[in-house]
Amino acid sequence: MSTVPSTHAIEVEAVTCGYGGNVVLRDVSFTVPPGEIFFIIGGSGCGKSTLLRHLIGIHLPTAGEVRFFGAPFNHADAATRRGLLKTFGVLYQSAALWSSLTLRENVALPLEEYTDLRQREIEEIATLKLAQVGLTGFEDYYPAEISGGMKKRAGLARALALDPAIVFLDEPSAGLDPITSRKLDDLVLEIREMFGTTLVVVSHELASIFSIADRVIMLDKSQKGIIAEGKPRELAERSRDPRVTEFLYRGDRPGGAA
């Protein structure tokens, strides 16, 4: 029997997430098409980062299925999962750079793990990825020698090392000033435009949500699931759920705009 290739980059079907018998999210379903900048939003403790960890395989859902380009991920065998891991990159909230390695060495890690390239080729690619995020000239710096915004860029360069089709970003603007945060948003847009990358962003930052998100899902702690889905400005203007409007109208207008 022939199968039709999935038109979605990510499919999440009836996923339940939790730890040690404690259910954080229940029966969560959504899809993300290729090339979309998709945000997972909501207040503190609603399960945003928990959902991300279950999507990328740090933890496995207790129920449901995650698929990348139609291929099952959480129920796949070890070899298939390893192959799927190469299709996405992750920028962790703290950037998660190894302090004892230079930026070039940090970016080289996925290439050393998942490819058979020679060391010189790996170094060339790592240098290129740092250039793509605006860190030319900082290849031999250590994480302690650069700013918080530069660490996020270096972490993003590492996430892009294998030319992934999907990049997950966990609170990329956390701890950054508004100008640096905006520059990072611009970089996310550039990556999508240059490479057609699908980007999934966990965030509660309204400026980023309203400026770069194509579509969002909003999670709620009490409901343990999705309470809204759509374009952020349309949700802000049309939703009748007070939880949604309260979150999206923390300023006078959507995104706090004047």
Side-chain angles (χ1 to χ4, degrees):
M1 180 182 295
S2 62
T3 58
V4 178
S6 174
T7 58
H8 301 295
I10 305 169
E11 296 170 86
V12 177
E13 183 178 347
V15 160
T16 295
C17 307
Y19 309 104
N22 177 40
V23 174
V24 178
L25 295 167
R26 181 182 290 111
D27 198 28
V28 170
S29 298
F30 61 90
T31 60
V32 183
E36 185 169 69
I37 299 177
F38 180 85
F39 271 57
I40 301 170
I41 68 173
S44 298
C46 70
K48 301 187 298 295
S49 292
T50 294
L51 177 57
L52 177 64
R53 294 187 193 104
H54 283 73
L55 294 181
I56 64 178
I58 294 178
H59 302 288
L60 295 180
T62 56
E65 182 67 78
V66 177
R67 290 184 287 270
F68 295 111
F69 297 101
F73 179 62
N74 51 303
H75 289 126
D77 58 49
T80 301
R81 280 170 59 83
R82 180 176 173 83
L84 288 171
L85 284 170
K86 293 190 288 186
T87 68
F88 62 80
V90 183
L91 171 60
Y92 297 96
Q93 184 171 344
S94 62
L97 299 173
W98 290 93
S99 61
S100 61
L101 302 179
T102 66
L103 301 190
R104 184 190 284 110
E105 291 168 340
N106 267 281
V107 177
L109 289 174
L111 296 161
E112 294 169 347
E113 174 70 18
Y114 290 103
T115 76
D116 296 321
L117 295 172
R118 292 175 294 181
Q119 189 60 36
R120 181 176 179 180
E121 294 172 315
I122 288 174
E123 291 176 358
E124 289 174 350
I125 293 172
T127 299
L128 173 63
K129 294 304 175 183
L130 287 166
Q132 289 175 347
V133 300
L135 289 176
T136 296
F138 291 91
E139 297 86 355
D140 296 321
Y141 280 61
Y142 289 88
E145 299 175 320
I146 60 176
S147 68
M150 294 169 74
K151 289 177 185 177
K152 293 292 180 74
R153 286 174 174 262
L156 185 54
R158 185 178 59 191
L160 295 169
L162 296 172
D163 294 325
I166 304 168
V167 174
F168 294 92
L169 303 93
D170 188 7
E171 298 284 5
S173 299
L176 301 182
D177 64 81
I179 294 175
T180 303
S181 178
R182 178 61 205 180
K183 289 180 178 178
L184 191 60
D185 286 346
D186 290 341
L187 182 57
V188 168
L189 290 171
E190 289 173 13
I191 289 168
R192 196 261 299 271
E193 294 305 312
M194 287 190 295
F195 307 113
T197 309
T198 304
L199 296 117
V200 177
V201 185
V202 169
S203 181
H204 66 275
E205 300 287 346
L206 291 184
S208 296
I209 292 166
F210 283 106
S211 62
I212 67 171
D214 294 318
R215 195 163 52 92
V216 306
I217 56 170
M218 182 173 173
L219 305 180
D220 179 71
K221 184 177 181 179
S222 60
Q223 187 158 319
K224 297 186 177 182
I226 298 171
I227 60 170
E229 179 175 354
K231 297 180 179 179
R233 290 193 179 276
E234 291 183 359
L235 290 178
E237 294 167 359
R238 300 177 185 176
S239 177
R240 298 189 179 184
D241 188 325
R243 296 168 296 182
V244 177
T245 54
E246 181 181 0
F247 180 86
L248 293 174
Y249 274 97
R250 283 174 282 167
D252 294 332
R253 294 176 184 271

